[in-house]
Amino acid sequence: MEYTKNHYDGEVKIVVEESFDDAAFDIIDTKLDASMTSIYDIIMTVDGEATQPNSKVQIKIPLPKDYDPSYSSVYSVNTETKSIEKMPTKY
């Protein structure tokens, strides 16, 4: 995570948890026809409280050995607006 020194007061952490949100799975399956999916909530916290980051966050997702990354994409899923946005990735 990159941010200006002293931008946040307190302990900054990234919390990653696998999500089993049926609404998110439905959106992905409907809009992308992608049934083989993993969903993760990635939340930034300051002193344990969730916050919207005003910074650059880099997430690394390990892929199985000999896996072809061209079969993978990373999306941001918004269940409130029922929208998805493809995120920039590199392998």
Side-chain angles (χ1 to χ4, degrees), residues 31-43:
K31 295 194 177 203
L32 299 176
D33 193 26
S35 57
M36 303 264 315
T37 305
S38 296
I39 298 177
Y40 295 90
D41 283 329
I42 301 171
I43 302 164

Side-chain angles (χ1 to χ4, degrees), residues 28 32 34 36-42 57-63 67 69-78 83-91:
I28 290 170
L32 299 176
M36 303 264 315
T37 305
S38 296
I39 298 177
Y40 295 90
D41 283 329
I42 301 171
V57 178
Q58 180 180 24
I59 304 297
K60 295 182 180 184
I61 301 170
L63 298 175
Y67 181 81
S70 67
Y71 291 112
S72 298
S73 298
V74 177
Y75 291 86
S76 172
V77 179
N78 185 326
S83 63
I84 58 174
E85 178 183 343
K86 190 169 186 177
M87 301 179 74
T89 57
K90 61 183 171 181
Y91 303 99

Side-chain angles (χ1 to χ4, degrees), residues 44-65:
M44 179 180 155
T45 65
V46 177
D47 290 335
E49 295 291 323
T51 185
Q52 179 64 36
N54 185 15
S55 57
K56 180 178 180 180
V57 178
Q58 180 180 24
I59 304 297
K60 295 182 180 184
I61 301 170
L63 298 175
K65 185 178 179 176

